[in-house]
Amino acid sequence: MSDSSHSSKNSFFGRFAEQITKYSGSTAVFVGAVALVLLWAMVGPIFHYSETWQLVINTSTTIITFLMVFLIQRAQNKDSLVLHLKLNELIAATKGASNRLINAQDFSEEEIRLIHQFYCLLADKAKADNDLGETHSIEEAEDNHHEKLAAHRE
């Protein structure tokens, strides 16, 4: 399979999945789903609330839920990636921003906790400042952290 045919299949599936995701989140689909459940409930007495009658709704909702989980996850993954790209662009374009936060989504939990501690230090510095326009960097927080560690060791 050539790359061009592979990418055209991906783009077809991508477009298809995106359209289904948008459509399934519409008011019309919700109203239709409610109508189907009400219709199912109304025909219950006709089928004497049989096991088959119950199986129809159980099977239908299970299959729809199973498929929708993957579509929702796909949409969420795409949205998350786009958000990360936009944030990376802002970080890269902002003078004084710490470029080490680009692709922070790939950091380990330990690295994320460490950076969170640094931002807690920044928040503490901001609280201590009376000037709301004063800015601090992660590097300043890191220096303060090292100073605190050195002071504790003395």
Side-chain angles (χ1 to χ4, degrees):
M1 177 184 296
S2 72
D3 284 343
S4 62
S5 68
H6 183 66
S7 65
S8 68
K9 284 186 180 183
N10 281 343
S11 64
F12 169 76
F13 177 75
R15 288 191 312 268
F16 175 73
E18 194 170 323
Q19 289 301 317
I20 295 295
T21 303
K22 284 179 184 176
Y23 178 68
S24 65
S26 70
T27 302
V29 170
F30 177 75
V31 169
V34 169
L36 281 173
V37 170
L38 290 175
L39 177 66
W40 169 80
M42 289 187 314
V43 298
I46 296 169
F47 292 100
H48 306 290
Y49 303 102
S50 69
E51 286 184 19
T52 302
W53 172 78
Q54 292 177 27
L55 190 61
V56 166
I57 197 74
N58 290 340
T59 304
S60 302
T61 56
T62 300
I63 290 170
I64 291 168
T65 301
F66 178 77
L67 295 174
M68 288 306 297
V69 163
F70 295 105
L71 279 178
I72 291 167
Q73 186 61 53
R74 183 186 185 283
Q76 187 174 9
N77 288 346
K78 181 180 176 184
D79 289 347
S80 177
L81 180 59
V82 169
L83 179 63
H84 289 295
L85 291 173
K86 289 177 179 181
L87 290 173
N88 289 344
E89 174 65 14
L90 290 173
I91 291 169
T94 303
K95 184 177 179 180
S98 178
N99 286 341
R100 64 175 121 173
L101 292 179
I102 294 175
N103 287 334
Q105 70 274 10
D106 297 330
F107 292 174
S108 70
E109 286 186 36
E110 184 178 324
E111 290 169 321
I112 292 169
R113 274 194 289 279
L114 180 62
I115 292 172
H116 176 72
Q117 290 172 355
F118 289 143
Y119 277 105
C120 288
L121 291 173
L122 287 179
D124 290 342
K125 284 182 78 75
K127 286 178 190 173
D129 289 335
N130 291 331
D131 182 4
L132 293 176
E134 183 74 25
T135 60
H136 300 285
S137 68
I138 194 168
E139 284 74 15
E140 281 182 288
E142 189 172 35
D143 290 343
N144 288 344
H145 179 69
H146 290 301
E147 288 174 17
K148 284 183 181 181
L149 286 177
H152 286 286
R153 289 183 187 142
E154 292 176 354

